[in-house]
Amino acid sequence: MKSASSNNAVKYADLNAMGHGTRDKRYANPRCLEHDCANLMSHVPSNEALNTASPISQAFKSAFITLLIALLFGTELLAEDLSDKELNERLQKVQKEVTNPETAQSIFLPKDTATTTYKRGDPIENISEEDLFLQIFGIGMPSRLRNFMVKFYADNRFFGDVEVMYDAGFTAFEFFSKRFYDYLDTLLLPDINEKINAKNGMFNSKELESLQFTININESKYELRINVPPEHKALQRMSLRSQSTPKGEQIEPAFFSFYLNAKATDNFQYRQYLYEKDYDKNELKNNYERMPATLDLDGAAAFKGFVLEGSGYVREPREGQSFDKNHFRRNDFRLIKDLYSRDARLSLGDVGANTGGLMRYETMGGIRYEYDKTLFSGSNIDMFNDLYKINFFLPKTSQVEIRINHRTVRRLHLPAGYHEINGLSGVEGTNLVEIYVTKEDGSLERIPYEFLLGNSRNLLKGEFRYSATAGVRRSSVPMGYEYHASNPGISSDLLYGLLPALSLGVSGQASQNNLMAGGQALWSINKANWMEFKNLFNYEDSSGGMRSELRYLYRTKPVSYSITTYYQSEEYNPNLFRSLSGPATNYAGLSASASTRFFKGSISANTGLSLNKETEHTAPVSKRYGVSLSQNIFRISLSANFNASKDKNGWQPYASMGAGYSFGVNRHNFAITNTTAMNSIPPDYDEYEWKNRSNLNWNWSNGGSGTGARSYSAGVSAEDFDIDNASLRLGARHSYNRANLSAAYNLYNYDYDYMTRLTHTVKADMGASFMFADGLWAFGRPVSRGFILASTGKSLQGSTLHINYSDYHKTSFSENGWLGAAYYNQISNYRSNEMRISLTDAPMGAWLEQNRYYAMGAYKQGYAIRLGSEANVLLHLTLLKEDGPLSYTYLIIDNRPTFTGRDGALLVGNLKPGQKYIIHFGENSPMIDMEIYIPEDAGNFVELPDMKVEYRQ
């Protein structure tokens, strides 16, 4: 963050034009200095005039020549310890060079610049800058500027505007760029990075060139370009699975963060009874009731990557009840640590004993460790990094085309260096990857690579995933959960890719009640055929049980189907901590389903057959059949389905038909639907009941997200086209900067034989959150997974910050204020989350250098962004000597070389308030160094009183 006062910069534009430091390149135009030099030379007297001048003119001549020497050579000549005689001889020599037409122009050229002759009539394209300047002004080009602003590019990436500051001999220059410093920190090899001497982002061109950095500075275009040696770069990885490269500057998770979501809900209900004439009206009376209010809470706290998460609720007691522990309830609480480098997660607390789908999911209080390369898929740790990747080296920045199976999938402009491309995709089986690199001469270099891709349902060959859980049984109680230390349990599972098309897995669970073990095989026959086999055993109370299951899938674009067959013994118990409840029986089954696309819809069918041991509750054979159809024609959606099952009670059919039509007008959306359904009536199931329900729905939204988003909805539904059995629904939702508000109204109409009951219900809720990350805090809408807080300070103090501002909707996701920082709290886990920042009401002269940021969403963690730098001061100070201003004098302040102007004015930016600075004139200068102090309360610009320099005795 930088700040400056543009008004004051304009005020002193004439000083900037004379060549000393400026932070705005508009005022660093050499033509201004050239113009002054031309005017100066026009006043140089000829030899004849000097020889015939009066003594007063001779004195003026000596003073003038002395001033001219100071202008052209700084104070180097005056700083030498010369006698009066030596000084006069030196001045006479310079006078002859100045007044001699053949040598006058050369003294204005840099010492290393040779003059050339120009013949009239030569094409202007062939004229050098020096010759062109000579023809226009009649003199040589002036001395170069020592500090000015340039556009900075590194490896063809733009890094913003930087200030270049030359040393006294124009042999090297310095510049400051924190963004370039951060770029090198992530790019260079560790041993090279240690050699970069760039304190706080201040670089020296000579030191970079000593490390083989290529530096090209174009002073006429105000551009600085630096190329990093490719052999100094670490391996640069890129995944083709990423949709796009995140834009902006990456931010890291906060050292400590937490959030707490709260949602308060209240319900009101009013029942109204309308009776027939001869009905006892005292039987039921109109009544009003407010339901107990509920406060739902959930949150998480993160510290150095550890996350403690939990949830629960508080419920208001009913009338006449006291507030006790039964009105509190907690849900799961656990401590989580994501181990990115190991593709693993460690959990402590309420954990699940999940065995890869082989056995029933059990929850216990304990510890769980899981390893899976897909656990953080979508993050910067690509799940295929170690398997499908191709490496190559680019000696120069090049255009690269990536083809997979002869089809171009990506064209890239890559910098020089070592590169790795991973996340390759293709078809099942052998795939060919080709990297085409376009060379400078236009020729192509081809880099081939082959890899074998298995079915996505299987693991890759040699890949594995596993988990292990240990804990004690957990049971529900009114306040939450109760843990039984006397009933421990363990669980584990492993899946391994034995072959590219075959994965094997084993699982096990154990407690003092039950022992279980199982195995599975996943076989990818080809890209359309896949088979899974599971076999499970358990041992309980001196008896064993078993379940086997075989599943076959066939999927292509036009059609897909599956067949599943299974067998289970009556002794099989899938529960880790509980015994079997209810009657058990042996049974076997077969089920099949098929589906295909049908015009703009689909059609599917399913069937099943189950063979059971006949008991009082089960039949020896049960069957089921079903078919469903869906179609969309001109915004009209049609659907129909039929199901029938047969068991001990006979056939039980079910059928339904539906039709709907939807359309939109501007932001208004309408939908009309009608559904007719048929059910069999228990207990005999030989009678059938038909019901029809019609719906008319409307909704409107302003289309915004975040602060200012609004939506409204309404709906009417009726049963059997009877207005006496109709209902009405109204809803509204407003999203504010610090909270979400929603309300709903429902009217239900129930028609009985002797009365009609109208039930009015109103539900309102408000959701809000408190967020904290590394000292920043904010109240806002409820957090979804993670959040970013952004605040302004220092040079941007008092600015209003907007996140993801929409010019179309004139709203932003959030903005800062007296209730805390601006925030973005819809962070997706393990994926890049981008946000844009804009400012209003910024202080004069302050601006944003970076307005885009992104975070790789860590699990339920917070991020903090502080915008604004330390206060910067633009200093104006006039230096005087005994007989006038100290003009065109070279000096150093804050390790930056600069010059005074014609009137002795010194203009320097990026100074800090409350600091002392030394004005250093050089070791050989007769002038004594001076100390200045920037007041603590200095604003963006400070003008100190004129100061007179002192000379050594």
Side-chain angles (χ1 to χ4, degrees), residues 863-918:
Y863 300 76
I865 302 176
R866 288 177 169 84
L867 300 176
S869 62
E870 295 287 348
N872 293 322
V873 175
L874 180 65
L875 167 68
H876 176 259
L877 171 64
T878 300
L879 299 179
L880 305 174
K881 56 184 180 178
E882 292 184 356
D883 55 350
L886 187 66
S887 304
Y888 307 117
T889 303
Y890 176 78
L891 55 86
I892 298 174
I893 181 171
D894 193 28
N895 295 322
R896 288 179 288 169
T898 186
F899 280 89
T900 60
R902 181 191 304 143
D903 56 355
L906 173 66
L907 194 66
V908 181
N910 277 353
L911 301 181
K912 308 298 179 184
Q915 297 290 326
K916 292 182 179 180
Y917 294 93
I918 301 297

Side-chain angles (χ1 to χ4, degrees), residues 344-360:
R345 168 178 286 181
L346 182 66
S347 305
L348 179 65
D350 295 305
V351 294
N354 190 3
T355 54
L358 274 175
M359 300 174 185
R360 180 168 295 181

Side-chain angles (χ1 to χ4, degrees), residues 2-74:
K2 298 179 180 178
S3 62
S5 174
S6 58
N7 293 336
N8 293 320
V10 173
K11 178 180 178 181
Y12 296 99
D14 59 326
L15 300 179
N16 294 331
M18 290 309 298
H20 56 271
T22 173
R23 301 202 60 81
D24 193 330
K25 69 179 184 181
R26 292 175 298 176
Y27 309 120
N29 193 334
R31 299 181 71 89
C32 300
L33 181 57
E34 297 159 4
H35 175 70
D36 290 334
C37 289
N39 290 338
L40 181 63
M41 287 305 301
S42 65
H43 290 86
V44 175
S46 63
N47 286 331
E48 183 179 355
L50 291 173
N51 292 334
T52 59
S54 64
I56 298 178
S57 298
Q58 291 288 346
F60 174 80
K61 178 191 69 173
S62 300
F64 175 78
I65 295 298
T66 304
L67 177 62
L68 185 60
I69 293 172
L71 169 64
L72 300 178
F73 303 101

